[in-house]
Amino acid sequence: MDTTVVNTGTEGKTWGGGNQPLKASYGKMMMWFFILSDALTFSGFLAAYGFSRFKFIGSWPIADEVFTHIPFFHGNYPMIYVAFMTFILIMSSVTMVLAVDAGHHMKKAKVTIYMFLTIIGGLIFVGSQAWEWATFIKGDYGAIQTNGGNILQFVDTDGNRVAVRDIAISEHGERVQHERKSGLWFVSEGTLPSYTIDEVYNGLEANPNVLVRTQTLTEDGKKTVLSREESLKQIKENGKLVVEGANLHVNEYGSPLFADFFFFITGFHGFHVFSGVVINIIIFFNVILGTYERRGSYEMVEKVGLYWHFVDLVWVFVFTFFYLV
Amino acid sequence: MAHAHKLEIFRGLLKFKSNTQKIWGVLILLSIITAIEVVLGIYKPEALEAKVIGMKLLNWIFIILTIVKAYYITWDFMHMRDETKGLRRAVIWTGVFLICYLIFILLQEGGYIEGVYSSGFIKRDF
């Protein structure tokens, strides 16, 4: 700290600016106020998520049905992987604060080890988030989007989800994806869905034990399941598009807004984690090179530590509002 | 650099011998809270589905536990406990007031729009 404060000759003179009522160095205080403004940014995003959710409170996707996967395992495990991610981030927060503590005691070797562990934790977290995104984009069971933009999913009579690919009867469709080489060079289109509405409808007709589930929530917070006749009628009359996975336009799990906010908020948080890792790496090398040993203070570790804890703090809220509530 | 850390949590109920010990103690506390959240999130006990002030009891529990976690991260990992009262209030109260205001405005408005949809002024569910 002493090395960063410039001697201005005003020490002890209250009206000359020599007074330090907050007893914190300039750098640390500015880090706190940056964190405050960043916290307001994140709460703006989360409050906007809350706005959209309250707006569609009767049809919002159920997070437990959306995030159910664990890498390398099959089956339905809601929450487990996110809990693991949360734990990793808290753990890397702990190693960070241990690095700060070792810094106070000027123990270079310990600071180095703890900074290294913090970086590893951060990388595991970013990797997990990338995997989470990939799973979400790829999708699970597929669904039908209606003309009005609602999502219709399939369940069997016991209420278990049924994948579109398991019921659809594929026909030899003549519709192929238009590419620039095969027609107008200035016209192109995105990938076509694997199935057409007709194929799914025929499949539904052939499977008498499959029903349609709408995104409307019932009194006890479950999704509404339609009767057999109503199911066929809905797909026939309102079905427009087969949706697999989620992106910024469509979302097989329900409201596209859910996917938009998921990508935006976890993306913005992931960007913070990524930049935190980069800053940690820079500080890590400075520690190894002995910069702070020479400076006589490890306050820089404390400042990046504040940022790193803040990233953890934000995740605690993202975890609650995206996965729990 | 101030080496004097305040080493007690729970208002002095639990006092640690060193700063390192306090860090591990807080980690255990945060892990327990996260574990409770995850277990409640997976099993969703029927008894906690009751509505309290417009929201499920379970959701209130989640939000309160989150704020408890945020408190310990800020106070012990970010060392807010050791800062002066002035810095602490400048950061915390600014955030708390603005965030409460923002949440109130947006949730109120979201609820109103939901009311407009569900009371039939606009028909979009087809």
Side-chain angles (χ1 to χ4, degrees):
Chain A
M1 185 158 82
D2 304 328
T3 49
T4 53
V5 175
V6 181
N7 198 336
T8 53
T10 54
E11 288 75 20
K13 292 181 185 160
T14 303
W15 297 103
N19 197 10
Q20 289 188 322
L22 300 182
K23 295 188 185 66
S25 73
Y26 176 80
K28 213 166 117 179
M29 220 154 69
M30 288 309 115
M31 183 51 98
W32 266 116
F33 289 118
F34 163 70
I35 285 173
L36 174 61
S37 66
D38 218 15
L40 291 173
T41 308
F42 269 108
S43 43
F45 294 155
L46 283 173
Y49 171 81
F51 171 83
S52 295
R53 189 169 171 168
F54 269 51
K55 190 169 152 188
F56 297 115
I57 196 86
S59 61
W60 202 248
I62 300 167
D64 275 4
E65 294 179 354
V66 180
F67 306 103
T68 57
H69 294 281
I70 298 181
F72 314 117
F73 286 96
H74 288 288
N76 192 14
Y77 303 102
M79 303 273 307
I80 303 289
Y81 196 60
V82 213
F84 164 77
M85 280 165 70
T86 309
F87 186 71
I88 286 290
L89 208 56
I90 290 178
M91 206 54 220
S92 83
S93 236
V94 166
T95 54
M96 186 78 229
V97 75
L98 287 170
V100 173
D101 187 64
H104 283 174
H105 300 112
M106 302 296 287
K107 287 176 186 154
K108 185 182 159 185
K110 267 191 160 176
V111 180
T112 313
I113 294 169
Y114 285 134
M115 282 300 289
F116 181 72
L117 291 175
T118 308
I119 292 166
I120 297 298
L123 289 175
I124 295 177
F125 183 84
V126 177
S128 302
Q129 215 166 36
W131 182 85
E132 186 100 334
W133 271 46
T135 318
F136 185 61
I137 291 168
K138 186 164 153 279
D140 220 356
Y141 295 100
I144 302 287
Q145 194 178 40
T146 66
N147 291 316
N150 286 332
I151 286 294
L152 302 174
Q153 299 166 331
F154 297 101
V155 288
D156 62 18
T157 38
D158 300 328
N160 299 317
R161 294 288 304 277
V162 173
V164 165
R165 62 180 168 277
D166 292 339
I167 58 165
I169 298 169
S170 56
E171 294 160 359
H172 288 290
E174 47 278 11
R175 181 79 172 86
V176 289
Q177 183 183 354
H178 174 75
E179 288 173 43
R180 296 199 316 180
K181 64 179 184 198
S182 56
L184 297 174
W185 59 270
F186 52 87
V187 176
S188 63
E189 65 177 358
T191 328
L192 293 173
S194 326
Y195 301 103
T196 64
I197 288 290
D198 289 337
E199 288 168 348
V200 176
Y201 180 75
N202 292 340
L204 183 63
E205 238 179 353
N207 289 281
N209 61 338
V210 175
L211 301 170
V212 162
R213 199 175 81 152
T214 68
Q215 50 182 9
T216 315
L217 294 166
T218 57
E219 284 288 299
D220 48 346
K222 303 269 186 326
K223 300 275 179 188
T224 314
V225 178
L226 301 178
S227 67
R228 179 75 187 156
E229 299 76 50
E230 189 65 20
S231 299
L232 287 164
K233 187 170 156 253
Q234 278 288 335
I235 299 291
K236 184 94 189 160
E237 287 176 7
N238 294 331
K240 187 186 167 211
L241 184 71
V242 176
V243 178
E244 286 168 310
N247 54 43
L248 292 175
H249 303 292
V250 291
N251 172 15
E252 68 157 66
Y253 303 101
S255 170
L257 272 174
F258 179 82
D260 297 344
F261 275 112
F262 177 78
F263 288 129
F264 196 72
I265 294 177
T266 64
F268 198 65
H269 177 262
F271 174 68
H272 274 75
V273 179
F274 174 74
S275 55
V277 168
V278 171
I279 297 167
N280 277 347
I281 289 172
I282 295 170
I283 300 301
F284 173 69
F285 281 113
N286 274 340
V287 171
I288 292 181
L289 293 173
T291 311
Y292 307 122
E293 202 72 28
R294 265 173 277 132
R295 198 178 278 180
S297 150
Y298 278 88
E299 205 198 43
M300 209 61 199
V301 177
E302 198 174 335
K303 282 181 229 168
V304 296
L306 283 180
Y307 181 69
W308 189 251
H309 297 312
F310 170 68
V311 167
D312 182 24
L313 185 70
V314 170
W315 179 255
V316 165
F317 284 92
V318 172
F319 174 64
T320 301
F321 291 113
F322 261 96
Y323 298 93
L324 291 175
V325 171
Chain B
M1 183 137 307
H3 283 280
H5 289 290
K6 290 181 182 144
L7 294 176
E8 70 262 12
I9 62 171
F10 303 140
R11 299 206 157 263
L13 204 66
L14 193 58
K15 192 162 168 56
F16 295 102
K17 284 195 201 70
S18 70
N19 193 37
T20 329
Q21 255 191 17
K22 185 179 85 167
I23 294 165
W24 290 113
V26 173
L27 168 70
I28 292 169
L29 178 70
L30 293 180
S31 306
I32 292 172
I33 296 177
T34 309
I36 293 174
E37 284 183 336
V38 170
V39 169
L40 286 180
I42 292 175
Y43 293 105
K44 293 202 162 84
E46 285 282 322
L48 300 176
E49 300 275 315
K51 290 238 172 176
V52 180
I53 326 176
M55 201 161 59
K56 276 184 205 159
L57 185 59
L58 192 61
N59 288 355
W60 281 114
I61 293 174
F62 285 145
I63 290 170
I64 289 165
L65 287 179
T66 305
I67 292 170
V68 170
K69 269 206 284 191
Y71 172 84
Y72 283 102
I73 290 172
T74 320
W75 254 244
D76 291 309
F77 287 175
M78 297 167 102
H79 299 302
M80 215 25 152
R81 211 185 280 279
D82 306 324
E83 301 294 352
T84 57
K85 217 174 238 178
L87 178 59
R88 202 159 63 213
R89 288 181 178 166
V91 172
I92 304 296
W93 287 121
T94 310
V96 167
F97 281 129
L98 286 172
I99 291 169
C100 287
Y101 173 67
L102 185 68
I103 289 173
F104 167 71
I105 289 287
L106 284 180
L107 294 191
Q108 185 67 23
E109 196 63 15
Y112 168 72
I113 295 176
E114 196 270 336
V116 170
Y117 280 145
S118 60
S119 60
F121 282 110
I122 296 171
K123 186 74 182 160
R124 72 175 278 286
D125 201 26
F126 46 82

